[in-house]
Amino acid sequence: MFDEHSQHLRKFLIAINYKGQTYFTVHGMDFTVIDVNINSSKVLLTEQDKWRFFPTKTELAAYIAQADHLWDADNLKEWAKGLDERSEVDSEIDLDFMLTAKDDIDDYYELFNTITFVEDFVDQIDDEAMYALTLGSSTVREFFDAAADYFLWKDGDKEMLATRGPRLLLAINNIYKELEKWIEV
């Protein structure tokens, strides 16, 4: 039932592994964004633009219910009404994996998924350092493009991914360290 509710509202429950703990947050589509040139995929932010994680699903729902700074607020609050501890997670992201990933095709797939969420966060905030490390980084862009071609569109070159992946691994620790400043639990 909650899955249908999430699909309809395009808001999804995300489990985040961070510093060895599992937290919960929401990721979804902001229906108030009507310009196709603006990313409508959003994550939950605090009023200070921190990426907000919660130890329980109930705490996440309570935060959304009382917050007055939300994107797509009406739909997000409606989504949270159906959220409880039995609600199934739609996706799991392991931020800690950024520190342990190896030069391996399976690890690159996991990093590709993680970077997608991180970039949605970075797209929402106005911070030059985070932008330079992610969306503005040629290393990240080249990896992301090669990974999307290989994993999503299935027409990518494994050799290209094998070239771009190790470069990303060199940059990923800096991304994680900067991201730590932007996470609130």
Side-chain angles (χ1 to χ4, degrees), residues 127-139:
D127 183 73
E128 291 180 26
M130 281 304 301
Y131 183 85
L133 288 170
T134 57
L135 294 166
S137 164
S138 61
T139 299

Side-chain angles (χ1 to χ4, degrees), residues 74-88:
D74 292 340
N75 286 320
L76 195 53
K77 286 178 184 281
E78 182 64 29
W79 174 82
K81 287 178 186 175
L83 179 63
D84 62 29
E85 292 303 320
R86 296 173 308 216
S87 300
E88 290 191 35

Side-chain angles (χ1 to χ4, degrees), residues 83-100:
L83 179 63
D84 62 29
E85 292 303 320
R86 296 173 308 216
S87 300
E88 290 191 35
V89 168
D90 291 291
S91 189
E92 295 181 30
I93 300 298
D94 186 353
L95 292 179
D96 293 343
F97 183 72
M98 294 170 72
L99 300 176
T100 61

Side-chain angles (χ1 to χ4, degrees), residues 118-144:
V118 170
E119 287 189 345
D120 284 344
F121 163 72
V122 172
D123 203 33
Q124 281 178 261
I125 63 170
D126 185 20
D127 183 73
E128 291 180 26
M130 281 304 301
Y131 183 85
L133 288 170
T134 57
L135 294 166
S137 164
S138 61
T139 299
V140 174
R141 295 281 24 102
E142 289 169 3
F143 169 81
F144 193 85

